[in-house]
Amino acid sequence: MTRTDVLSGAPSGLRDRAARYALLPLRLFLGVTFVYAGLDKLTDSAFLSATGDGSIGDMMRGVRDTSAIPALVDMALKAPVGFAVVLAVGELLVGLATLAGLLTRLAAAGGALIALSLWLTVSWAVTPYYYGNDLVYLVAWLPLVLAGAPYLSLDALALARRSEGSSSRWRLSRRTA
């Protein structure tokens, strides 16, 4: 007979398993989305241009006066193509690390910083604010910054190996004592 949670009516084992993997869909969504965004930018010759329709330069010039931090846009406009490449590679690396669960908290912090910078520049003037997706991405990264990827990740594998190694060292020291 399985124990049942009094409030939800769900078997406690199922509830525990669901809680354990609750961040996995978010991690997969953010990882895939950032990989896609990075690859999309790197393969779009129009985006990787200083001027012209769809270029990073024209987009940044278009949002400069409505952004929360115009100085940030001005910095990007000094080398718009270089900025676009750094942004795209950053998105790609954050997405890949998040999918693999490698240095997940650091990757999530990078994703949050990318989303924050885009919110303060590109989507700052979007009204009402909930039409702009960059703020939502910023908030979506925060659970992964806080919790990391404790399951189905390279981080979890490394932690298990470290724990296994330290417990075997402890056993050896107890035997030799």
Side-chain angles (χ1 to χ4, degrees), residues 34 86-87 90-91 94 109-119 134:
F34 268 56
V86 168
L87 174 63
E91 288 174 334
V94 162
L113 286 173
I114 290 170
L116 176 64
S117 66
L118 292 174
W119 176 55
D134 296 313

Side-chain angles (χ1 to χ4, degrees), residues 14 17 19 30 34 42 72 99 101 108 131 138 143-144 162 169:
L14 180 61
R17 196 170 314 129
L30 290 171
F34 268 56
L42 288 173
L72 193 59
L99 286 173
Y131 281 164
L138 169 61
L144 294 176
R162 276 194 303 255
R169 281 192 299 270

Side-chain angles (χ1 to χ4, degrees), residues 74-161:
D74 289 340
M75 282 186 353
L77 283 170
K78 289 182 182 181
V81 176
F83 171 75
V85 170
V86 168
L87 174 63
V89 169
E91 288 174 334
L92 184 59
L93 292 175
V94 162
L96 290 172
T98 300
L99 286 173
L102 178 63
L103 302 172
T104 308
R105 286 186 169 127
L106 181 62
L113 286 173
I114 290 170
L116 176 64
S117 66
L118 292 174
W119 176 55
L120 292 173
T121 56
V122 177
S123 61
W124 181 255
V126 174
T127 56
Y129 76 92
Y130 52 82
Y131 281 164
N133 63 354
D134 296 313
L135 179 58
V136 175
Y137 281 109
L138 169 61
V139 173
W141 281 110
L142 297 181
L144 294 176
V145 170
L146 296 171
Y151 298 99
L152 300 176
S153 66
L154 293 176
D155 290 344
L157 182 63
L159 181 62
R161 288 191 179 197

Side-chain angles (χ1 to χ4, degrees), residues 12-23:
S12 62
L14 180 61
R15 184 179 39 98
D16 292 344
R17 196 170 314 129
R20 179 180 305 140
Y21 297 107
L23 290 179

